[in-house]
PDB file of all heavy atoms in Angstrom:
ATOM      1  N   ASP S 397      74.041 -16.479 -17.974  1.00 57.00           N
ATOM      2  CA  ASP S 397      75.145 -17.268 -17.461  1.00 57.00           C
ATOM      3  C   ASP S 397      75.134 -17.202 -15.929  1.00 57.00           C
ATOM      4  O   ASP S 397      75.976 -16.562 -15.304  1.00 57.00           O
ATOM      5  CB  ASP S 397      76.483 -16.743 -18.001  1.00 57.00           C
ATOM      6  CG  ASP S 397      76.605 -16.998 -19.515  1.00 57.00           C
ATOM      7  OD1 ASP S 397      75.938 -17.912 -19.999  1.00 57.00           O
ATOM      8  OD2 ASP S 397      77.319 -16.245 -20.162  1.00 57.00           O
ATOM      9  N   ARG S 398      74.156 -17.872 -15.372  1.00 47.00           N
ATOM     10  CA  ARG S 398      73.932 -17.808 -13.944  1.00 47.00           C
ATOM     11  C   ARG S 398      75.009 -18.571 -13.170  1.00 47.00           C
ATOM     12  O   ARG S 398      75.372 -18.194 -12.068  1.00 47.00           O
ATOM     13  CB  ARG S 398      72.535 -18.394 -13.609  1.00 47.00           C
ATOM     14  CG  ARG S 398      72.198 -18.452 -12.144  1.00 47.00           C
ATOM     15  CD  ARG S 398      72.176 -17.070 -11.522  1.00 47.00           C
ATOM     16  NE  ARG S 398      71.832 -17.191 -10.095  1.00 47.00           N
ATOM     17  CZ  ARG S 398      72.668 -17.526  -9.115  1.00 47.00           C
ATOM     18  NH1 ARG S 398      73.917 -17.814  -9.440  1.00 47.00           N
ATOM     19  NH2 ARG S 398      72.289 -17.568  -7.884  1.00 47.00           N
ATOM     20  N   VAL S 399      75.467 -19.695 -13.723  1.00 41.00           N
ATOM     21  CA  VAL S 399      76.527 -20.488 -13.080  1.00 41.00           C
ATOM     22  C   VAL S 399      77.595 -20.768 -14.138  1.00 41.00           C
ATOM     23  O   VAL S 399      77.363 -20.740 -15.338  1.00 41.00           O
ATOM     24  CB  VAL S 399      75.971 -21.820 -12.504  1.00 41.00           C
ATOM     25  CG1 VAL S 399      75.090 -21.551 -11.318  1.00 41.00           C
ATOM     26  CG2 VAL S 399      75.226 -22.618 -13.587  1.00 41.00           C
ATOM     27  N   ILE S 400      78.807 -21.085 -13.682  1.00 34.00           N
ATOM     28  CA  ILE S 400      79.897 -21.363 -14.575  1.00 34.00           C
ATOM     29  C   ILE S 400      79.667 -22.721 -15.252  1.00 34.00           C
ATOM     30  O   ILE S 400      79.449 -23.729 -14.567  1.00 34.00           O
ATOM     31  CB  ILE S 400      81.250 -21.395 -13.821  1.00 34.00           C
ATOM     32  CG1 ILE S 400      81.515 -20.031 -13.198  1.00 34.00           C
ATOM     33  CG2 ILE S 400      82.382 -21.770 -14.771  1.00 34.00           C
ATOM     34  CD1 ILE S 400      82.725 -20.006 -12.286  1.00 34.00           C
ATOM     35  N   ALA S 401      79.653 -22.709 -16.576  1.00 37.00           N
ATOM     36  CA  ALA S 401      79.530 -23.952 -17.331  1.00 37.00           C
ATOM     37  C   ALA S 401      80.826 -24.173 -18.100  1.00 37.00           C
ATOM     38  O   ALA S 401      81.267 -23.292 -18.848  1.00 37.00           O
ATOM     39  CB  ALA S 401      78.344 -23.864 -18.290  1.00 37.00           C
ATOM     40  N   SER S 402      81.418 -25.325 -17.905  1.00 38.00           N
ATOM     41  CA  SER S 402      82.708 -25.611 -18.538  1.00 38.00           C
ATOM     42  C   SER S 402      82.816 -27.109 -18.841  1.00 38.00           C
ATOM     43  O   SER S 402      82.133 -27.920 -18.236  1.00 38.00           O
ATOM     44  CB  SER S 402      83.854 -25.195 -17.591  1.00 38.00           C
ATOM     45  OG  SER S 402      85.091 -25.723 -18.011  1.00 38.00           O
ATOM     46  N   ASP S 403      83.649 -27.428 -19.808  1.00 41.00           N
ATOM     47  CA  ASP S 403      83.922 -28.827 -20.104  1.00 41.00           C
ATOM     48  C   ASP S 403      84.842 -29.469 -19.086  1.00 41.00           C
ATOM     49  O   ASP S 403      85.029 -30.699 -19.093  1.00 41.00           O
ATOM     50  CB  ASP S 403      84.549 -28.948 -21.499  1.00 41.00           C
ATOM     51  CG  ASP S 403      83.555 -28.640 -22.598  1.00 41.00           C
ATOM     52  OD1 ASP S 403      82.348 -28.801 -22.355  1.00 41.00           O
ATOM     53  OD2 ASP S 403      83.981 -28.214 -23.688  1.00 41.00           O
ATOM     54  N   VAL S 404      85.453 -28.665 -18.232  1.00 38.00           N
ATOM     55  CA  VAL S 404      86.320 -29.176 -17.185  1.00 38.00           C
ATOM     56  C   VAL S 404      85.490 -29.848 -16.116  1.00 38.00           C
ATOM     57  O   VAL S 404      84.636 -29.219 -15.465  1.00 38.00           O
ATOM     58  CB  VAL S 404      87.174 -28.063 -16.550  1.00 38.00           C
ATOM     59  CG1 VAL S 404      88.067 -28.631 -15.448  1.00 38.00           C
ATOM     60  CG2 VAL S 404      88.017 -27.393 -17.626  1.00 38.00           C
ATOM     61  N   PRO S 405      85.652 -31.166 -15.849  1.00 40.00           N
ATOM     62  CA  PRO S 405      84.837 -31.827 -14.811  1.00 40.00           C
ATOM     63  C   PRO S 405      85.071 -31.212 -13.452  1.00 40.00           C
ATOM     64  O   PRO S 405      86.194 -30.882 -13.110  1.00 40.00           O
ATOM     65  CB  PRO S 405      85.350 -33.295 -14.873  1.00 40.00           C
ATOM     66  CG  PRO S 405      85.982 -33.444 -16.216  1.00 40.00           C
ATOM     67  CD  PRO S 405      86.564 -32.084 -16.548  1.00 40.00           C
ATOM     68  N   GLY S 406      83.991 -31.060 -12.672  1.00 38.00           N
ATOM     69  CA  GLY S 406      84.130 -30.558 -11.311  1.00 38.00           C
ATOM     70  C   GLY S 406      84.162 -29.061 -11.200  1.00 38.00           C
ATOM     71  O   GLY S 406      84.588 -28.515 -10.207  1.00 38.00           O
ATOM     72  N   THR S 407      83.708 -28.325 -12.246  1.00 36.00           N
ATOM     73  CA  THR S 407      83.707 -26.858 -12.210  1.00 36.00           C
ATOM     74  C   THR S 407      82.845 -26.347 -11.063  1.00 36.00           C
ATOM     75  O   THR S 407      83.220 -25.483 -10.296  1.00 36.00           O
ATOM     76  CB  THR S 407      83.180 -26.270 -13.531  1.00 36.00           C
ATOM     77  OG1 THR S 407      84.045 -26.736 -14.579  1.00 36.00           O
ATOM     78  CG2 THR S 407      83.192 -24.771 -13.495  1.00 36.00           C
ATOM     79  N   THR S 408      81.615 -26.914 -10.911  1.00 37.00           N
ATOM     80  CA  THR S 408      80.724 -26.530  -9.809  1.00 37.00           C
ATOM     81  C   THR S 408      81.154 -27.262  -8.546  1.00 37.00           C
ATOM     82  O   THR S 408      81.230 -28.482  -8.541  1.00 37.00           O
ATOM     83  CB  THR S 408      79.271 -26.883 -10.151  1.00 37.00           C
ATOM     84  OG1 THR S 408      78.913 -26.217 -11.341  1.00 37.00           O
ATOM     85  CG2 THR S 408      78.320 -26.425  -9.023  1.00 37.00           C
TER      86      THR S 408
END
Side-chain angles (χ1 to χ4, degrees):
D397 292 335
R398 177 62 180 79
V399 292
I400 299 172
S402 166
D403 290 334
V404 178
T407 300
T408 302

